């Protein structure tokens, strides 16, 4: 006997988590018809839920995710379930569960979301703290084209330390900046979504100053889960990409995301801004002696309350004299970054700024309680004025 049904709302399913997949849950329940108490063993496997009774498969449930193409890529809109049962008794059980789910949906309760919040409040996130962000970069670069190869697909593992507060997740600016660097013409084609709208002259000037990244030595600061470095390495053929973050958990996660997405050429290391030994280690990465970077890059690292003084000091120690610094910035209610950008600009011969459209506002993490503007700022600095005490 087989049933099909779909979930009634968008589910950020905790069951899609790798960790939950491996978990075994022993559930004591009563069969509605047989009144006798049975032990059901519920196993979450990669995409299959099995309920066994007395060692035999009784009910199998296969959730098939249905995706919708939107903005940066795929977003899971619903799950189509296939249920196979062996007996009328089990079918009745399923009907009761379905009836319950329909009632919950009719009352407007998003059950998975509610459970997720409840669990995070109880700090029992071990089974729920992993999620995967599926990015279809092809959809972002050319939304009308449907026939794309798998090289545009990324599966980024995220980890929410406490419910939606900290940064072991994709931040939308990293996806947008990556897209603008891979395809600068998006600045003019998607500009209509940005507010206020930049002039055509600004856009073409900006496109003309965007550096070519092939054969360049790139270092990313505050890489988080590593999306930006991963995308640049895959599409732009740089000489090297070093993804760094101060948080050792982010470094671990970025490292595993590189492996997961065939980005093993991206090196990953811990770099705490202002820490000289970390900076030296970065300069020596893969080399016998320290070599400065052609491009220093970062997305959403100028947020409140990041230590912007240390960030500036670090940038100035990493970039070569004719190098570039590229920063994507999102203004939020507590931002104090204007001073930072003005001060950074005094160290470079040229600086450019543009306000660009968010391309991936439906992906990843947002500022939470802080209100944030639509659109993002991209700053490019070029030609370092040698700071006192530094020899090239
Ligand atoms: C908002 S997240 C952005 C992550 C990533 N760039 C993205 O856009 O998805 C900011 C990142 O900056 C890192 N960060 C903050 N302060 C830092 C510091 N002092 N040294 C190094 N990294 C730092 C955090 O660990 C975090 O991963």
């Amino acid at each position: 006997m087989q049933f099909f049904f779909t979930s009634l709302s968008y589910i950020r399913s905790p069951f899609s988590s790798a960790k939950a997949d491996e978990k075994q849950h022993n559930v004591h329940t009563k069969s509605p018809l047989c009144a006798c108490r049975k032990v059901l063993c519920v196993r979450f496997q990669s995409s299959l839920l099995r309920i066994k009774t007395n060692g035999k498969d009784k009910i199998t449930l296969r959730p098939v995710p249905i995706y919708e193409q939107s903005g940066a890529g795929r977003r899971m809109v619903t799950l189509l379930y296939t249920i196979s049962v062996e007996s009328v008794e089990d079918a009745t059980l399923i009907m009761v569960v379905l009836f319950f789910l329909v009632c919950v949906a009719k009352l407007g309760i998003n059950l998975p979301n509610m459970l997720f919040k409840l669990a995070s409040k109880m700090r029992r996130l071990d089974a729920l703290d992993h999620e995967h962000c599926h990015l279809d970069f092809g959809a972002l670069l050319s939304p009308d084209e449907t026939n794309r190869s798998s090289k545009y697909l990324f599966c980024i593992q995220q980890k929410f330390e406490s419910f939606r507060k900290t940064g072991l997740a994709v931040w939308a600016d990293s996806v947008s900046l990556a897209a603008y660097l891979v395809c600068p013409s998006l600045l003019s084609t998607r500009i209509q979504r940005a507010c206020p709208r930049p002039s055509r002259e600004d856009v073409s000037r900006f496109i003309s100053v965007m550096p070519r990244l092939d054969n360049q030595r790139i270092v990313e600061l505050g890489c988080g889960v590593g999306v930006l470095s991963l995308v640049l390495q895959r599409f732009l053929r740089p000489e090297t990409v070093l993804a760094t973050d101060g948080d050792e958990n982010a470094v671990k996660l970025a490292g595993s995301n590189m492996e997961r997405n065939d980005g093993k050429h991206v090196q990953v290391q811990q770099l705490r801004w202002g820490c000289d030994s970390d900076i030296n280690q970065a300069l020596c990465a893969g080399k016998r002696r320290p070599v400065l970077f052609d491009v220093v890059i970062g997305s959403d690292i100028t947020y409140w309350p990041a230590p912007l003084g240390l960030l500036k000091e670090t940038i100035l120690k990493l970039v070569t004299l004719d190098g570039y610094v590229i920063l994507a910035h999102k203004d939020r209610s507590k931002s104090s970054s204007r001073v930072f950008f003005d001060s950074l600009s005094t160290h470079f011969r040229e600086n450019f700024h543009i306000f660009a459209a968010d391309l991936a506002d439906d992906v990843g993490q947002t500022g939470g309680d802080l209100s944030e503007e639509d659109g993002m700022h991209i700053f490019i600095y070029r030609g370092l004025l040698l700071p006192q005490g530094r020899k090239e």
Side-chain angles (χ1 to χ4, degrees):
M1 209 177 302
Q2 277 209 332
F3 291 87
F4 294 93
F5 70 98
T6 68
S7 62
L8 291 140
S9 58
Y10 164 59
I11 293 179
R12 224 187 170 99
S13 170
F15 303 134
S16 65
S17 80
K19 213 165 177 183
D21 290 346
E22 292 157 12
K23 291 244 171 225
Q24 287 221 0
H25 302 263
N26 288 313
V27 183
H28 292 269
T29 186
K30 261 188 178 177
S31 162
L33 290 184
C34 320
C36 62
R37 202 173 176 85
K38 292 179 181 173
V39 178
L40 299 188
C41 171
V42 182
R43 283 194 71 191
F44 296 103
Q45 294 177 334
S46 52
S47 62
L48 178 67
L49 172 70
R50 277 205 174 119
I51 300 182
K52 290 188 176 194
T53 313
N54 303 333
K56 284 188 187 160
D57 280 5
K58 277 284 188 185
I59 305 170
T60 57
L61 173 79
R62 282 173 193 278
V64 182
I66 306 295
Y67 293 102
E68 165 187 88
Q69 290 299 134
S70 69
R74 293 197 310 169
R75 169 198 179 100
M76 190 169 70
V77 282
T78 190
L79 291 171
L80 178 70
Y81 291 96
T82 314
I83 298 185
S84 311
V85 291
E86 279 189 355
S87 65
V88 175
E89 193 182 296
D90 295 331
T92 313
L93 175 67
I94 296 294
M95 297 305 277
V96 170
V97 172
L98 280 179
F99 180 71
F100 169 74
L101 288 176
V102 169
C103 292
V104 163
K106 286 273 177 225
L107 290 172
I109 300 169
N110 184 340
L111 199 59
N113 204 16
M114 207 178 78
L115 291 176
F116 193 94
K117 279 186 182 164
L118 195 69
S120 57
K121 273 204 182 118
M122 291 163 65
R123 302 213 170 274
R124 292 181 55 196
L125 278 167
D126 53 336
L128 302 175
D129 61 355
H130 283 70
E131 288 191 17
H132 295 88
C133 174
H134 295 272
L135 281 176
D136 181 348
F137 225 69
L140 198 61
L141 299 178
S142 52
D144 306 329
E145 211 176 302
T146 48
N147 194 8
R148 296 184 203 94
S149 80
S150 61
K151 80 168 186 175
Y152 291 103
L153 299 178
F154 297 88
C155 174
I156 306 295
Q157 189 183 0
Q158 312 179 94
K159 185 171 179 180
F160 295 99
E161 295 251 282
S162 69
F163 188 62
R164 299 205 164 273
K165 286 252 163 66
T166 53
L168 301 180
V170 175
W171 286 73
D173 278 6
S174 62
V175 180
S176 299
L177 179 62
Y180 285 130
L181 290 170
V182 171
C183 183
S185 63
L186 287 176
L187 274 169
S188 49
T189 54
R190 303 282 188 83
I191 214 70
Q192 70 281 359
R193 286 172 64 193
C195 175
R197 192 180 164 141
S199 68
R200 262 168 213 261
E201 295 73 44
D202 276 357
V203 172
S204 46
R205 180 163 165 264
F206 202 78
I207 290 175
S208 72
V209 297
M210 270 207 177
R212 287 179 61 91
L213 298 181
D214 51 331
N215 295 320
Q216 301 291 296
R217 276 172 52 76
I218 301 175
V219 61
E220 181 182 359
L221 300 178
C223 68
V225 292
V227 176
L228 180 57
S229 289
L230 190 57
V231 173
L232 297 185
Q233 197 273 333
R234 185 170 302 178
F235 293 113
L236 295 178
R237 298 201 197 93
E239 183 189 314
T240 55
V241 183
L242 175 65
T244 72
D245 200 285
D247 177 355
E248 57 186 26
N249 292 321
V251 172
K252 276 188 209 147
L253 203 51
S256 71
N257 278 326
M258 299 309 164
E259 278 174 29
R260 179 188 306 267
N261 290 279
D262 197 22
K264 48 187 178 299
H265 297 302
V266 179
Q267 301 171 62
V268 184
Q269 79 151 75
Q270 186 177 33
L271 193 164
R272 293 157 290 186
W273 306 335
C275 172
D276 279 333
S277 58
D278 288 358
I279 294 173
N280 282 336
Q281 195 189 336
L283 291 170
C284 293
K287 305 272 174 193
R288 288 212 190 113
R289 54 180 186 82
V291 182
L292 293 159
F293 289 91
D294 304 309
V295 182
V296 178
I297 201 161
S299 73
D300 216 336
I301 53 174
T302 46
Y303 62 99
W304 178 86
L308 298 180
L310 295 178
L311 175 61
K312 187 177 97 174
E313 183 189 318
T314 306
I315 289 173
L316 298 179
K317 285 182 177 168
L318 289 171
V319 68
T320 183
L321 272 189
D322 51 359
Y324 286 83
V325 177
I326 305 174
L327 299 175
H329 168 75
K330 170 81 76 187
D331 234 17
R332 303 202 175 87
S333 46
K334 292 192 178 174
S335 290
S336 56
S337 46
R338 177 57 59 193
V339 181
F340 167 79
F341 290 114
D342 286 349
S343 141
L344 190 59
S345 70
T346 62
H347 295 272
F348 290 86
R349 279 195 299 279
E350 295 173 87
N351 62 85
F352 307 88
H353 162 256
I354 201 166
F355 189 62
D358 287 320
L359 298 179
D361 43 9
D362 55 349
V363 168
Q365 181 77 292
T366 62
D369 299 340
L370 301 174
S371 62
E372 55 185 27
E373 67 186 340
D374 291 335
M376 62 188 264
H377 299 264
I378 305 177
F379 293 88
I380 298 188
Y381 301 92
R382 182 167 77 181
L384 182 66
L385 300 167
L386 204 58
Q388 269 186 351
R390 185 177 131 178
K391 288 179 190 148
E392 191 64 355

